[in-house]
Amino acid sequence: MSHPIRVAIVGSGPSGFYAAEGLFKAGRGVQVDMFERLPAPYGLVRHGVAPDHAKLKEPMRVYEGIARSPEFRFLGNVTVGRDVSVDDLRAAYHAVLFCCGAESDRRLGIPGEDLPGSHTATEFVGWYNGHPDYRDRQFDLGQEVAVIIGQGNVAIDVGRILAKTVDELKHTDIAEHALECLAQSRIREIHLIGRRGPAQAKFTTKEFRELGELADCDPVVDAADLALNPESLAELEDRSGSVAKKNLEVLKGFAARPARAVRRRLFLRFLLSPVELEGDDRLQRVVLERNRLEGAAGRQSARGTGERITQASGLLFRSIGYKGVAIPGVPFDARQGIFPTRDGRIVDETGAPVPGLYASGWIKRGPTGIIGTNRADSLATVTSLLADLGALDAGPRPGAEGLAALASGRGPRVIGFEDWLVIDRAEVQRGAAKGKPREKFTRVGEMLQLVPRPLR
Ligand code: NAP
């Protein structure tokens, strides 16, 4: 082939970087342009992983290595679907690979869900992680009782950040505005509420165990809640039940702990579903319905019993999973919040692949798995893309140089990888003064100001 194969990757989180790595390793001379709507790369590793989980941010160094490859270009501060259309990308590249994650949230669908005081976990996580979209969100931490709906790792992150002392957080990369606000927190009780039982909680054990290692907060579990029905006992004995089994040991340990004289308590509560959020002009009460489990082992679901209890609370976080967002020009499964795919190839409503469109990561498989899960997922998509090259390559494509919207000077200010490194160094420097790994810039304007304007 005399010309390079050009691939546009949309999104710069883990799945995007693993896809770029896979394309480079194939040795086919593929050139990658990675589009990202923020000036900063790394997606959920930067803005989703909790600030006190520094180890989970280490993949950023791997991604930086991939970005330094000569076949790679970063185009930050460019929103695909707004600044550049999908049709433009299809014309300028041999293939477009969407790795844009799941940027929205599932909804509970109950009355009062949008009362002030009821938030999504996404908003809170984005806020404490310095995501520009959530910089100006406000959370009333003057409340004494916070409720978190859902029992996955995001719920644990939210609960742990609410539970930790300032001393436990001040040397992390938590955003300054969040730390200042958390320092004033009056929260005494945090309720982590699951619709199913302890054997069905989605926590991973390492993260779950951390709830027992907090300086000024005790986990609280009612031992009676740990009695399991026969189906749940069978689930624990199943090969896929090993995490649940370990989680149950952790729960038993929590239940047996003597209470300490601590400022906060984190209650783990099971078999409860919110049915209504009540309050005059803001959240005051969460009405919960007690559930029982129904169905065979491995497929048990929560069924309401009709029994209702009310939990007073002025602050609630819905942490019940994420959903992808549509991009004009790409088929979208609105129910699941994903781009429908077969073997990584995006398919239309008839199930036929749309030539040149691919997906990987949460926008392909939904919001499941850990960072590393995306590696295998992206490699699978890359395998399909490479297999299609014969059909996709009908001659050279211009890549970013062919995107009139970017070349005109009227489009967004494009942030390249070297530009990002300037921002990165400035963040690290700001953090060092406070004993933090970095102090993120939380406004797009602040980041753009650091980068010299290109000469035209
Ligand atoms: P998740 O693990 O899927 O958990 C979602 C939780 O919401 C489940 O407890 C689910 O209960 C519950 N839920 C869903 N719909 C509900 C409803 N209508 N009413 C009440 N509860 C409802 O999702 P996640 O916590 O958002 O995490 C997403 C992914 O990121 C996961 O793979 C997670 O492991 C990963 N992650 C990892 C870390 C880490 O530190 N390693 C940190 C954050 C996230 P059911 O089980 O009954 O559906």
Side-chain angles (χ1 to χ4, degrees), residues 107-180:
R107 288 185 61 81
L108 285 167
I110 59 170
E113 183 160 7
D114 297 315
L115 272 176
S118 163
H119 309 273
T120 61
T122 306
E123 292 171 83
F124 190 61
V125 171
W127 173 77
Y128 66 63
N129 272 327
H131 192 300
D133 287 3
Y134 305 103
R135 169 67 177 85
D136 296 316
R137 288 292 202 279
Q138 301 209 331
F139 303 95
D140 182 5
L141 301 182
Q143 297 292 329
E144 296 205 345
V145 180
V147 165
I148 302 166
I149 304 297
Q151 291 190 332
N153 281 334
V154 173
I156 289 201
D157 282 346
V158 170
R160 196 181 64 253
I161 296 297
L162 288 172
K164 278 196 166 179
T165 61
V166 169
D167 280 349
E168 289 174 288
L169 294 171
K170 68 184 181 195
H171 295 305
T172 72
D173 71 355
I174 189 165
E176 190 172 31
H177 60 258
L179 190 63
E180 279 168 9

Side-chain angles (χ1 to χ4, degrees), residues 44 48-50 53 56 106-110 121 149-157 160 193-197 200-204 207 210 272-274 291 300-302 318-322 362 365-371 373:
L44 273 190
V49 170
H53 280 174
L56 292 182
R106 286 193 197 130
R107 288 185 61 81
L108 285 167
I110 59 170
I149 304 297
Q151 291 190 332
N153 281 334
V154 173
I156 289 201
D157 282 346
R160 196 181 64 253
I193 296 183
R195 63 177 168 184
R196 297 192 289 161
Q200 289 80 33
K202 295 249 175 74
F203 315 132
T204 47
E207 281 67 27
E210 274 181 77
L272 292 168
S273 282
N291 295 328
Q300 297 191 85
S301 59
R318 285 114 61 195
S319 182
I320 60 167
Y322 298 119
W362 280 6
R365 65 175 198 277
T368 58
I370 56 173
I371 292 168
T373 313

Side-chain angles (χ1 to χ4, degrees), residues 8-12 33-36 80 89 96-100 327:
I9 294 182
V10 181
S12 67
D33 285 348
M34 180 179 277
F35 292 83
E36 163 60 53
V80 169
L89 289 183
V96 186
L97 207 173
F98 290 90
C99 300
C100 41
I327 296 182

Side-chain angles (χ1 to χ4, degrees), residues 265-277:
R265 287 183 301 160
L266 189 151
F267 295 81
L268 290 144
R269 301 175 62 184
F270 301 95
L271 290 169
L272 292 168
S273 282
V275 286
E276 183 163 2
L277 306 186

